[in-house]
Amino acid sequence: MVWTATMGLPLSLKGVGQVLKLEDQKTDESKALIKYFSVPCAPTKANGGRTRNLPFHDPEKRTTFKAYNKREVEVEMAIHSALRISRFRASSGMNTPSIRKSTTMACA
């Protein structure tokens, strides 16, 4: 994502996927799954007083969450491949004559 940010692309997988028109894109169900498994929950009678949702609390959601994580990696790999072969190229800019000239003039 740092690479995409240096090129002025969106800072989200979904945004970059849309800009690059990738076949593999991030799904919308991820926010709820991340919140369920990664954010502490309030202890209630309904959830048995637990403060964390662990994999055995909802095996179906866990399976979906694992598939989501796999999909995220696939999207990141697709972005990397698309940037590697596309017109989107990042350069540090330090080798361009205008940069060299301006730093030389500033030092003189």
Side-chain angles (χ1 to χ4, degrees):
M1 294 311 302
V2 172
W3 192 15
T4 61
T6 61
M7 291 185 242
L9 294 170
L11 297 176
S12 67
L13 284 179
K14 187 173 186 173
V16 174
Q18 290 172 345
V19 168
L20 297 178
K21 297 178 175 81
L22 298 176
E23 227 175 86
D24 295 327
Q25 297 220 3
K26 184 174 177 173
T27 61
D28 291 328
E29 66 185 336
S30 58
K31 281 186 182 182
L33 290 168
I34 291 170
K35 185 175 180 181
Y36 184 81
F37 286 109
S38 304
V39 177
C41 59
T44 63
K45 286 183 181 179
N47 70 11
R50 68 177 181 255
T51 56
R52 301 294 288 178
N53 293 310
L54 299 175
F56 63 86
H57 291 132
D58 194 335
E60 188 176 318
K61 276 189 182 179
R62 180 62 178 178
T63 302
T64 306
F65 189 56
K66 285 170 48 178
Y68 152 75
N69 286 326
K70 183 180 177 203
R71 180 75 171 172
E72 289 282 293
V73 171
E74 290 169 352
V75 171
E76 286 187 28
M77 289 171 55
I79 289 170
H80 181 63
S81 294
L83 293 177
R84 204 168 23 124
I85 61 172
S86 75
R87 68 182 186 279
F88 295 104
R89 296 278 180 189
S91 70
S92 65
M94 294 308 294
N95 294 325
T96 57
S98 61
I99 299 287
R100 227 178 301 126
K101 185 186 286 185
S102 65
T103 55
T104 305
M105 295 175 106
C107 294

